[in-house]
Amino acid sequence: EAQVTQNPRYLITVTGKKLTVTCSQNMNHEYMSWYRQDPGLGLRQIYYSMNVEVTDKGDVPEGYKVSRKEKRNFPLILESPSPNQTSLYFCASSFSSGTYEQYFGPGTRLTVT
Amino acid sequence: GENVEQHPSTLSVQEGDSAVIKCTYSDSASNYFPWYKQELGKRPQLIIDIRSNVGEKKDQRIAVTLNKTAKHFSLHITETQPEDSAVYFCAASVHNNNDMRFGAGTRLTVKP
């Protein structure tokens, strides 16, 4: 089954404790992206990747890191989480660029206390 | 960079009526405009998209129109049904830029 998976689905952590949210797709998509969703603000792009070893900042990259060492995986790293990073995070992938349908993962709800 | 504004933020209609959601964008180079539907507790899913070389696209009860001159595009849902109740997001993307900018969303409620 073609899908995008994320782990964990729910995470409660404390300020400053490094964490990684994993994202994996099995559709051989070149493009992958991370978004955060906050009430009243819609979906805001954090980082995206056009292919292996190619990543670019989106609209709200501060406080986040990503890597793309393999085509199928695109982890999101929070080196020192803060309460303002409490949010719902979605990973997405698409065929070859941001101008094709994006397939979203199930979401990760992160709470930073 | 691109800025996408979406209106209204909430919309309530009676079953069978039409619903219209409007978005404006700021970057005239934007050339891809998707619409995503997000049901409660679910992930966003694409329902229709349009590229800048066409002015209108239809898929059964859903249509999208694009006015490049005015830099706005709209989602039209006809004969609404309760299962159309969801949050709808518009977005704009610039080719070769790959940035995707979403609107803030419209919560549509269809009353039976």
Side-chain angles (χ1 to χ4, degrees):
Chain A
E1 180 191 355
Q3 59 182 345
V4 179
T5 57
Q6 293 178 231
N7 282 292
R9 294 289 313 281
Y10 303 91
L11 180 60
I12 301 174
T13 189
V14 296
T15 300
K17 186 177 181 181
K18 181 179 178 180
L19 67 92
T20 299
V21 184
T22 64
C23 173
S24 184
Q25 51 92 5
N26 63 359
M27 295 171 279
N28 201 35
H29 283 169
E30 293 185 353
Y31 180 93
M32 297 186 75
S33 183
W34 275 103
Y35 298 89
R36 61 177 290 174
Q37 183 175 17
D38 302 288
L41 296 177
L43 291 151
R44 292 182 292 167
Q45 191 173 44
I46 302 170
Y47 271 93
Y48 62 90
S49 169
M50 286 299 298
N51 213 324
V52 175
E53 302 292 2
V54 181
T55 63
D56 277 296
K57 295 178 182 179
D59 202 18
V60 289
E62 295 78 19
Y64 304 95
K65 284 175 58 177
V66 293
S67 69
R68 188 91 183 270
K69 294 186 172 64
E70 305 164 283
K71 197 171 185 179
R72 63 183 293 129
N73 296 323
F74 191 44
L76 179 70
I77 303 154
L78 284 73
E79 294 269 4
S80 183
S82 63
N84 64 12
Q85 292 179 299
T86 292
S87 187
L88 178 59
Y89 291 86
F90 285 101
C91 178
S93 72
S94 73
F95 170 58
S96 71
S97 76
T99 55
Y100 289 87
E101 176 178 3
Q102 294 198 39
Y103 295 84
F104 284 80
T108 295
R109 186 165 294 282
L110 172 66
T111 302
V112 184
T113 61
Chain B
E2 176 66 277
N3 183 46
V4 178
E5 294 191 359
Q6 183 171 347
H7 300 280
S9 56
T10 60
L11 179 60
S12 182
V13 300
Q14 208 66 38
E15 182 177 0
D17 288 350
S18 295
V20 180
I21 303 170
K22 299 181 179 181
C23 289
T24 60
Y25 60 98
S26 61
D27 191 338
S28 56
S30 292
N31 59 5
Y32 176 65
F33 308 92
W35 286 88
Y36 286 82
K37 176 184 179 182
Q38 186 180 30
E39 297 176 355
L40 189 62
K42 301 286 183 65
R43 68 193 80 186
Q45 290 189 295
L46 182 77
I47 55 171
I48 195 167
D49 56 12
I50 191 168
R51 297 182 189 276
S52 57
N53 57 344
V54 298
E56 184 175 1
K57 185 175 179 181
K58 283 184 179 179
D59 183 3
Q60 299 182 345
R61 297 186 297 109
I62 294 172
V64 57
T65 58
L66 171 65
N67 183 326
K68 286 172 57 180
T69 304
K71 288 189 279 188
H72 68 70
F73 55 113
S74 300
L75 177 71
H76 304 253
I77 306 174
T78 59
E79 301 172 22
T80 54
Q81 301 166 3
E83 49 265 40
D84 294 329
S85 296
V87 178
Y88 291 81
F89 293 99
C90 64
S93 178
V94 181
H95 188 56
N96 293 330
N97 189 338
N98 295 300
D99 276 13
M100 181 70 77
R101 294 287 184 266
F102 282 79
T106 296
R107 182 174 299 280
L108 172 65
T109 302
V110 180
K111 293 186 263 189

